[in-house]
Structure formats: structure tokens, C-alpha cells
Amino acid sequence: MDIETVILAKVHEDEEDHSEAILKSEKLQQDLFFMERVLMENVFQPKLASYRQLPVLKEREPEEPEEVLEEEVHEETEDEIKREDAEEMEMELELEITTEQSTIPANLERLWSFTCDLTKGLNVSSLAWNKANPWPERIYHSSHGVTSVDFSIGAPNLLAVGYHNGTIAIYNVRSSNNTPVLDSSESPLKHMGPVWQVQWIEQDRGNTGDDKREILVSISADGRIAKWIIRKGLDCHDLMRLKRTTAASNKKGGEKEKKGEALISRQAPGMCFAFHPKDTNIYLAGTEEGLIHKCSCSYNEQYLETYRGHKFGPSDCECC
């Protein structure tokens, strides 16, 4: 009896260890994640369908025969035809209806909401959709504040992140590891201010336009727009150093130019940029001064044009 008890206890112990290994396995966690996604799609199917103007799927009752269900579908189709005819008649009589009779109170319904306890009380400074998989599946923790993010076009598993301390990092979202595969922390050309925008840009290699390469562009509060290229590490050079400009003086033309040249001595903090959808050699850059500069990748010292549409000041902010 003692030997049998020992053997049974050993078998029970092995089963417990095996079960624990299964529950902690990465494959099971991934399968549970996908199952949760499918269940959520089923739960929110009516609202998702209503939002996309798709038919709402009705689940058949356990004891309900298929023939009855087909008849109901046929009746629903006839009802839809009748309803469409009625709607057409209503549209014809719409002009005869008075304003008071046709007034319908506004109705708003929240379709769904996304919440995360990790982001409560924090600011959201940037959003980006993955080009291949639009589902959020990873949570990365960082010791610095994140100011901008963007997914690669050619390699959707690469996520570029700009930090408030001026660092740029690239994560491989196929891995749940918090360590980036590349970062600019050791680069002598790294930004010295918050990186307010990062974006992957496809540029033409030749004149045909068929051969493209992808580069990473960033703009920072240090007044630089940088172009990053992934080789063995992150190499970069400046596309533009944003110089401060001053408003035109009321003096004579010659004196205005001299004063303007003398006052353009500090760099303007960069806030955002946007590349031309067809000619990726041309881009716009927005600065903290409220100016928009038209720039070219071929010139890093001179603006092609400057647009003065915004005013900047503590009591004078506007958006057009």
C-alpha cells in the first residue's frame, strides 16, 4: 500500500506540473488571445454591423427548425421591399409635411469604447495604425515619455517611436520584448529636444519611380528635420535646420533685409511635417512660430516658400 500511494502521488505531481506548463505556454496564451478577439466580434456584431450599414446576423434558437428560419428570412425580404416602397412614398410627400411634423429629436448612441488602465491620467500624443494588422496586440513600457509613433510601410512589423528626450527607437512588434532593435541614444546626431513627429516615407531611387526605398523622417524641438536610414545602426543627416524668421519691419526695403538677416540666428522648434503625395522630394514643415515652410530634400539651408497663416503667442492662438 505504501508503494502504491507513493506511485499515485508521483503521477499526480507530474500531472500538476504538466498542467502548469501548458497554462503558462506562449502558444496557449496566443490561442486564448485570438479566441477572445472572436468572442468580442460576436458580442459587438450588431453594433459593428449597424455602424458599417451591414445586415445584423441573428442566431438561431436551439429548438428552431431551419425551414422556419428560411421562411422568416423570406418574410423579412418582403418586408424590406414593402418598407422601401413606403420610404419612396414618404420621400414624395416630404415637401408637403410641415416643419413641426418632420422634426425628429437627435439621438446619439455610443457604439463601443476602448479603455486601458495603464493609460489613465496620461496624455496621448500620437496614434498610428499598422498597415497589415490594425489590431493593438502589444504593450511596451518605456522609461521616457513617448511623443510620436509610426509603423513602417514596407515592413509593418517595425514601429518607429520618438521620445521626449530626443531619442528615436525602432521596435519589432513581432516580439513582446521591451528592448528596441535599434535606437539613436548613442548616435552623435541624435535630437536634443522632443521628437514631435516620426514618419516612414517611400522615396524614388531612380527616374522611373518603380524602385522605391523607405526612409524614416523626424522633426524635433531642437529645430532639425532629420532623415534616418537603417543600415547596421541608425544613420542620419539633416534635411533642414529650421531658422527663426521675423516679421517684416516698416522701414525701407534695404534696412528690412539687413535687420532680417541679423535676427535669423536661432533655430525654430519644429512641430510637424507632411510630404507631397506624389513628389516626395517636396515637403511642408510647421514650426512653433506658427509658420509653414515649403522645403525640398535637395536644399537644407533655404526654404522654397513660407506661409504665414497662423499667429503664435500666449493669448493669441488660432487654427485654420
Side-chain angles (χ1 to χ4, degrees):
M1 293 295 295
D2 293 338
I3 295 176
E4 184 178 354
T5 303
V6 171
I7 293 174
L8 292 175
K10 180 62 176 175
V11 171
H12 183 66
E13 183 179 351
D14 293 341
E15 289 178 351
E16 287 184 349
D17 293 341
H18 189 60
S19 301
E20 185 177 357
I22 293 176
L23 292 175
K24 291 183 178 180
S25 68
E26 185 177 351
K27 182 65 168 62
L28 178 62
Q29 297 297 324
Q30 185 178 12
D31 292 341
L32 290 174
F33 175 80
F34 290 133
M35 181 59 68
E36 181 184 17
R37 177 190 294 178
V38 173
L39 291 175
M40 294 303 293
E41 287 183 349
N42 291 339
V43 171
F44 289 99
Q45 198 278 332
K47 290 188 175 182
L48 287 168
S50 176
Y51 175 71
R52 297 179 179 177
Q53 298 181 355
L54 298 174
V56 178
L57 300 179
K58 294 184 179 180
E59 186 176 359
R60 187 181 64 182
E61 297 296 332
E63 300 178 355
E64 187 177 7
E66 294 184 1
E67 292 79 6
V68 177
L69 191 65
E70 291 177 358
E71 291 179 1
E72 288 184 356
V73 172
H74 182 66
E75 291 177 358
E76 288 178 359
T77 305
E78 293 181 352
D79 292 340
E80 290 178 358
I81 295 174
K82 293 179 180 179
R83 184 163 56 251
E84 290 177 357
D85 294 339
E87 289 177 356
E88 291 180 0
M89 294 178 63
E90 289 179 359
M91 291 178 64
E92 293 176 357
L93 298 174
E94 185 177 4
L95 296 176
E96 300 179 4
I97 300 176
T98 61
T99 306
E100 294 181 357
Q101 292 174 335
S102 62
T103 302
I104 301 176
N107 182 25
L108 294 177
E109 179 185 1
R110 185 173 64 178
L111 296 176
W112 59 81
S113 62
F114 300 95
T115 59
C116 179
D117 294 336
L118 296 175
T119 60
K120 285 186 177 179
L122 302 178
N123 295 324
V124 178
S125 58
S126 182
L127 291 170
W129 289 104
N130 188 287
K131 277 70 176 178
N133 181 18
W135 291 87
E137 297 180 352
R138 296 283 186 273
I139 296 176
Y140 295 99
H141 299 273
S142 172
S143 57
H144 305 288
V146 175
T147 50
S148 55
V149 293
D150 192 41
F151 282 97
S152 170
I153 303 169
N157 60 301
L158 297 182
L159 173 65
V161 179
Y163 290 104
H164 194 272
N165 69 340
T167 302
I168 288 178
I170 297 178
Y171 289 83
N172 181 7
V173 297
R174 290 175 180 168
S175 171
S176 57
N177 194 341
N178 281 335
T179 304
V181 293
L182 292 171
D183 70 77
S184 64
S185 58
E186 301 298 327
S187 172
L189 299 176
K190 69 178 182 179
H191 288 294
M192 305 306 295
V195 181
W196 291 123
Q197 184 180 353
V198 290
Q199 185 178 354
W200 297 90
I201 304 295
E202 284 188 333
Q203 285 192 326
D204 299 332
R205 287 179 180 269
N207 297 327
T208 60
D210 297 331
D211 188 13
K212 295 181 179 294
R213 64 174 178 176
E214 192 173 42
I215 61 172
L216 181 64
V217 180
S218 62
I219 189 169
S220 171
D222 62 3
R224 294 167 50 214
I225 302 176
K227 170 183 175 180
W228 300 84
I229 301 175
I230 301 176
R231 290 174 182 158
K232 293 183 179 180
L234 281 178
D235 296 331
C236 86
H237 68 269
D238 290 343
L239 290 178
M240 177 63 68
R241 289 182 177 269
L242 301 167
K243 297 179 180 179
R244 288 189 179 274
T245 60
T246 57
S249 173
N250 292 327
K251 303 290 183 179
K252 295 181 180 179
E255 190 174 352
K256 279 197 300 182
E257 293 180 1
K258 291 181 180 178
K259 285 192 173 183
E261 291 174 0
L263 290 174
I264 300 177
S265 57
R266 292 187 300 167
Q267 291 178 234
M271 303 298 294
C272 58
F273 62 85
F275 275 75
H276 194 282
K278 295 182 179 179
D279 185 1
T280 53
N281 192 53
I282 302 297
Y283 63 95
L284 299 175
T287 67
E288 194 181 67
E289 296 177 292
L291 302 178
I292 299 175
H293 302 294
K294 182 180 179 180
C295 308
S296 171
C297 294
S298 303
Y299 307 97
N300 61 359
E301 294 290 340
Q302 184 178 0
Y303 307 133
L304 300 181
E305 198 168 349
T306 297
Y307 308 98
R308 301 177 181 272
H310 295 268
K311 298 178 182 178
F312 179 78
S315 60
D316 188 5
C317 297
E318 64 176 343
C319 179
C320 63

